[in-house]
Amino acid sequence: MNELVLPRWKNILFNIVLCLNCLLLLFVIAGDHIHVPAWLQVAGRMHPLLLHFPIVLLLLYIFWTIFLAKRMSGPEEETGKWLLLMVALTAVVTALMGFFLSREEGYNQAALRWHKWSGVSVSVVSLVWFGMRDAIHRTRWLPQAAAALSFVLILITGHQGSAVTHGDNYLFAPVTPERARPKVPLETAVIYADMVEPILETKCMSCHNSTKAKGQLVMESRALLLKGGRHGALWTAGSPGESLLIQRILLPDAEKKHMPPAGKPQLDADESAILSQWIRQGADFNRRVRDLPPTDSLRILAAGFLLQPEAETYDFSAAAEKTIEQLNTTNRIVHPLAIGSPALAVNFYNRQFYTTESLKALEAVKNQVVTLDMAYMPVKEADLAIISQFLNLRELNLNFTTAPGSAIRQLQKLPQLKRLSLSGTAVKSQDLAALPGFRSLHDVYLWNDAIALPALAALKKKNPAINYETGFMNDSLVLKLNPPVLETEERIINGQPLTMHLKHYIKGVSIRYTLDGSKPDSLASAEYKGDFQLSQKAVFKARAFKKGWLGSDSIMATFYKNTYRADAIKNLTPLDSVYKGSAGAATLTDGDKGSLSRNNKWLGFRRNKLDMLLHYPGPVTVSSVTLSAQVDINAYIFPPYLIEVSGGKTEKGMKILGVIRPQQPDSAREGYLTGYDINFPPATVNYLRVTAVPVDRLPAWHAAKKQKGWLFTDEIFVN
């Protein structure tokens, strides 16, 4: 009985596997045109669970082929055939699930391509091996060759799959020598490049790169970091508590949104503190570590990441702890430069409470003070005479003080002085002539000082041993004006005109503007002479001009008019599972414009077209519909292929009013907001239907060519 039943079921299963492989090949070849419904997306997410079955079964059969097949016959031989058939069945089902999973967002199709085809190869080789098993096993070396080929395919497919989900070289990372970053000296280190970026590279970039942009966030460049991802900007400069990056890091590990996700290397306390402090201090990409005060938290943290200069040894004894304690006040902080060091650092605060007596009090520890920070204090000549007695002083900060330049000569008495900061002072070039007489002076900071370029060049040539830090200076440079500021925040004209209010922070500036999107010039464009009313849709641009300056860059804002607001709107096709807006279809008529960040003010369409039905309580005469949209080519968001507007007095009696095909971009560019106008002869309607079709295949020049594009919209305006 069994002899009759088993071949019949084996034949049925073989035909099922054959059909599934044909379906798999069809899906993979025509994948860009196939829509995966939600219930198959659930099946696709079972791929990580199912993939272990064909791997284990195939390895068992490889072992059986190499070591046991020659010794078995009869029922045991039949068991081997069933095992190979189960390999073919589980392999094709797993590959199909993998295809369904690959259609979800967050995976770069270019990175998936090799993993996809190697998985298909495992399925097809298993099927061919079973179908031709008897012929293969009659040849002496073919079974071993089939086993070797299958084993290699498993390794390749598994390695490529791990690269897709865990980053490049995941499989061999434990045995691959790690390329350690050389430690950068603290004196030359930049906070972002040498402290922040290494953390992002090791803990974040495996999931946020150009081949695997989870949450549409890529961290491979500063521009992409500033752009943010699907949930908006990564940080708010100066406020780590409001920054998405810090919020996600500080979530409990069990939270789904905690970053890095469970199973990935986590940030330690110091790394989290570095990111938080960097954002707190303005998230500056160019600031150097040495510009931070010695007591700054970020500079203290840098000690564990950067190459420290050899610790200087001091030949003086430490001051009494009681003396240091008595010298500390709310306006003057005295503290050891390092634990166990006799050297002291002093910082003065609160300009209004500073007195010469408060400086003179430091004579009790004048032999121990090596760093003195007096920035912004009202320093007098007598104060410099007191400072000249601190013979072990290495660093003196007089930035933005009232220190007289003529008294700088007194500081020549300081034999150990290495760094002198004079930024923002009234020092003159003749006052700096005394600097070569300083025995140990190496760095002089002269930012924002009134020293002419020729005089400074002469000083540098005469004293090459001294490094003069001046920032950017160019007396012949014609500066560009910063753009004007538009203080009108509203972007939608609902009934009442908008009042346009502009300003500029430089006196004597002329502001010129246009309302048609053209670039304003200094002659023909309208001049802003005070607030004016805007009552029609406009693409507003404005620039600032002033004699002796270069004209500013343009500011731009699009203003929309909305005469009729629908009392009801419904979607006729399903909304995308991710980008549903704050109120579904009603998001498009709530009068709340979105920004470039893809937040809940936007509806996104990719698998389905936008198809909205708007209802008005009474007849309205319309001649224009505007679809407000976003274009972000790097995020696959393109203009719609087609927009069609229909209208009528009843839902079933509508006719086409207007159709447009927006121009498609021919190259990559920065993201922008826009609006598409569909104009048509006036028509009286109670119902409007707005349809917009996303681009079906991205162009050949795009990195994701042949994939479907996204359509993003936030408002529909009817006039």
Side-chain angles (χ1 to χ4, degrees):
M1 180 68 176
N2 289 340
E3 290 298 321
L4 296 174
V5 173
L6 288 179
R8 180 166 64 88
W9 278 106
K10 194 185 301 178
N11 187 53
I12 292 171
L13 284 177
F14 174 75
N15 285 308
I16 290 173
V17 174
L18 178 61
C19 291
L20 289 177
N21 272 278
C22 293
L23 186 64
L24 174 63
L25 288 170
L26 174 66
F27 281 174
V28 174
I29 293 170
D32 292 339
H33 303 280
I34 293 175
H35 167 64
V36 179
W39 67 273
L40 276 180
Q41 291 179 20
V42 174
R45 296 188 179 194
M46 296 177 64
H47 175 72
L49 172 65
L50 293 176
L51 63 87
H52 298 93
F53 287 94
I55 293 174
V56 172
L57 293 175
L58 185 53
L59 289 175
L60 283 173
Y61 190 74
I62 290 171
F63 180 85
W64 187 91
T65 299
I66 295 174
F67 297 106
L68 303 176
K70 294 179 181 179
R71 308 174 193 172
M72 295 186 178
S73 61
E76 294 168 334
E77 179 71 15
E78 195 65 29
T79 300
K81 293 180 180 180
W82 273 104
L83 179 58
L84 183 54
L85 181 57
M86 289 301 101
V87 170
L89 177 63
T90 55
V92 70
V93 172
T94 300
L96 282 168
M97 298 303 101
F99 170 78
F100 299 147
L101 182 62
S102 73
R103 303 305 297 158
E104 293 195 15
E105 296 303 312
Y107 298 103
N108 184 293
Q109 298 303 311
L112 281 171
R113 188 174 298 116
W114 287 107
H115 175 59
K116 191 185 298 182
W117 280 108
S118 58
V120 170
S121 300
V122 171
S123 178
V124 172
V125 166
S126 301
L127 175 66
V128 172
W129 195 355
F130 178 80
M132 302 181 65
R133 183 182 181 282
D134 292 338
I136 289 173
H137 281 257
R138 282 196 295 268
T139 305
R140 187 173 187 181
W141 55 272
L142 273 181
Q144 287 75 19
L149 175 62
S150 301
F151 183 73
V152 170
L153 284 174
I154 288 177
L155 282 182
I156 293 173
T157 307
H159 176 62
Q160 291 165 344
S162 67
V164 169
T165 56
H166 295 84
D168 292 338
N169 201 38
Y170 173 76
L171 183 63
F172 298 108
V175 295
T176 303
E178 189 173 347
R179 291 181 295 176
R181 274 193 177 219
K183 278 202 170 186
V184 179
L186 186 144
E187 285 295 306
T188 61
V190 176
I191 298 171
Y192 172 76
D194 300 307
M195 294 179 67
V196 174
E197 190 175 39
I199 299 172
L200 300 180
E201 284 182 354
T202 57
K203 301 296 174 70
C204 307
M205 219 170 282
S206 64
C207 291
H208 300 290
N209 55 69
S210 57
T211 61
K212 185 186 178 185
K214 282 200 170 181
Q216 298 179 1
L217 172 63
V218 179
M219 294 185 166
E220 291 179 336
S221 71
R222 299 179 185 186
L224 291 170
L225 275 172
L226 291 170
K227 179 181 177 182
R230 178 189 302 159
H231 301 290
L234 272 183
W235 59 74
T236 301
S239 182
E242 297 178 9
S243 299
L244 183 64
L245 176 66
I246 304 302
Q247 291 171 358
R248 293 291 177 89
I249 289 171
L250 297 181
L251 282 173
D253 292 356
E255 287 281 345
K256 183 180 178 180
K257 293 183 177 180
H258 169 78
M259 292 295 158
K264 296 281 188 176
Q266 300 295 305
L267 276 72
D268 59 34
D270 283 349
E271 290 171 333
S272 298
I274 286 172
L275 296 180
S276 181
Q277 289 296 326
W278 177 66
I279 292 172
R280 187 186 304 280
Q281 296 186 15
D284 189 331
F285 285 102
N286 300 312
R287 195 176 187 187
R288 295 173 300 180
V289 175
R290 72 177 185 182
D291 294 335
L292 301 171
T295 55
D296 184 89
S297 300
L298 201 50
R299 181 156 182 171
I300 293 170
L301 286 166
F305 289 79
L306 304 173
L307 190 63
Q308 298 292 318
E310 291 186 16
E312 187 174 1
T313 56
Y314 302 101
D315 58 0
F316 50 82
S317 58
E321 288 187 15
K322 188 174 182 180
T323 302
I324 297 173
E325 185 178 341
Q326 290 172 346
L327 288 171
N328 273 291
T329 68
T330 56
N331 306 312
R332 181 185 59 210
I333 304 299
V334 182
H335 59 90
L337 201 60
I339 296 174
S341 172
L344 298 177
V346 181
N347 297 75
F348 280 89
Y349 302 95
N350 301 322
R351 179 187 181 95
Q352 63 270 33
F353 298 114
Y354 173 80
T355 63
T356 298
E357 287 69 29
S358 62
L359 176 65
K360 192 173 179 62
L362 293 175
E363 289 182 347
V365 291
K366 65 181 181 181
N367 291 328
Q368 287 80 24
V369 175
V370 298
T371 299
L372 181 58
D373 187 348
M374 303 191 69
Y376 297 96
M377 297 298 114
V379 176
K380 300 184 286 290
E381 186 171 352
D383 299 333
L384 294 180
I386 295 171
I387 293 172
S388 67
Q389 300 174 36
F390 296 14
L391 300 182
N392 288 314
L393 192 65
R394 268 73 166 170
E395 186 171 342
L396 175 60
N397 184 354
L398 296 174
N399 288 342
F400 301 97
T401 65
T402 56
S406 58
I408 296 296
R409 189 179 298 273
Q410 296 188 53
L411 301 177
Q412 282 183 320
K413 299 175 184 177
L414 300 173
Q416 306 284 352
L417 188 64
K418 296 177 181 177
R419 284 180 291 278
L420 177 60
S421 298
L422 297 170
S423 299
T425 64
V427 65
K428 297 181 177 61
S429 57
Q430 57 265 33
D431 300 327
L432 301 178
L435 294 182
F438 289 62
R439 279 180 268 173
S440 303
L441 192 61
H442 183 264
D443 295 309
V444 178
Y445 299 91
L446 298 167
W447 295 70
N448 298 317
D449 289 321
I451 301 174
L453 277 176
L456 186 60
L459 279 170
K460 289 182 176 181
K461 186 175 181 180
K462 187 176 180 181
N463 311 307
I466 298 177
N467 176 37
Y468 295 94
E469 289 281 353
T470 59
F472 180 76
M473 298 176 68
N474 190 336
D475 287 349
S476 62
L477 180 68
V478 179
L479 297 177
K480 177 187 280 192
L481 287 166
N482 54 310
V485 177
L486 176 62
E487 294 194 324
T488 303
E489 295 182 359
E490 186 60 55
R491 293 292 183 269
I492 302 174
I493 304 167
N494 286 304
Q496 297 297 320
L498 296 179
T499 300
M500 302 293 288
H501 182 68
L502 295 149
K503 70 176 182 181
H504 201 281
Y505 294 104
I506 296 178
K507 290 183 180 180
V509 161
S510 170
I511 300 175
R512 302 276 182 162
Y513 67 90
T514 61
L515 299 176
D516 60 1
S518 60
K519 185 177 181 180
D521 61 36
S522 60
L523 298 175
S525 300
E527 184 175 8
Y528 175 74
K529 295 183 177 180
D531 293 355
F532 65 93
Q533 303 296 304
L534 185 65
S535 58
Q536 297 294 329
K537 181 191 173 185
V539 180
F540 176 84
K541 286 188 176 181
R543 295 177 67 199
F545 299 93
K546 187 178 182 180
K547 187 177 180 180
W549 297 66
L550 293 177
S552 74
D553 293 329
S554 296
I555 60 167
M556 174 180 156
T558 303
F559 293 89
Y560 296 93
K561 185 177 181 180
N562 192 42
T563 305
Y564 305 114
R565 182 171 179 178
D567 68 334
I569 181 172
K570 68 176 180 179
N571 48 292
L572 302 179
T573 56
L575 297 177
D576 187 89
S577 60
V578 178
Y579 302 106
K580 294 183 176 181
S582 58
T587 306
L588 300 183
T589 57
D590 63 2
D592 192 3
K593 284 282 298 154
S595 62
L596 275 175
S597 61
R598 286 172 284 285
N599 50 29
N600 61 4
K601 296 179 182 179
W602 292 93
L603 294 184
F605 299 87
R606 191 185 194 195
R607 297 184 177 90
N608 299 315
K609 64 183 178 181
L610 177 153
D611 199 357
M612 296 290 167
L613 182 67
L614 292 79
H615 175 259
Y616 297 90
V620 294
T621 301
V622 299
S623 60
S624 173
V625 171
T626 300
L627 185 68
S628 174
Q630 175 183 162
V631 175
D632 190 345
I633 292 168
N634 291 327
Y636 308 175
I637 304 172
F638 271 61
Y641 167 73
L642 175 144
I643 306 174
E644 179 181 283
V645 176
S646 303
K649 293 186 177 180
T650 64
E651 186 173 344
K652 293 184 178 179
M654 290 187 288
K655 64 178 183 178
I656 295 174
L657 300 177
V659 178
I660 66 166
R661 296 179 186 270
Q663 184 176 354
Q664 297 297 319
D666 56 9
S667 61
R669 57 173 291 187
E670 292 296 317
Y672 59 94
L673 303 178
T674 188
Y676 303 106
D677 297 327
I678 306 93
N679 299 310
F680 43 84
T684 302
V685 301
N686 290 81
Y687 290 89
L688 276 177
R689 182 175 180 178
V690 180
T691 304
V693 182
V695 173
D696 186 57
R697 292 163 67 91
L698 295 180
W701 54 262
H702 195 275
K705 60 184 178 182
K706 298 184 180 181
Q707 291 189 49
K708 293 180 72 68
W710 279 96
L711 161 63
F712 267 73
T713 179
D714 59 346
E715 291 292 322
I716 295 176
F717 302 113
V718 179
N719 298 287

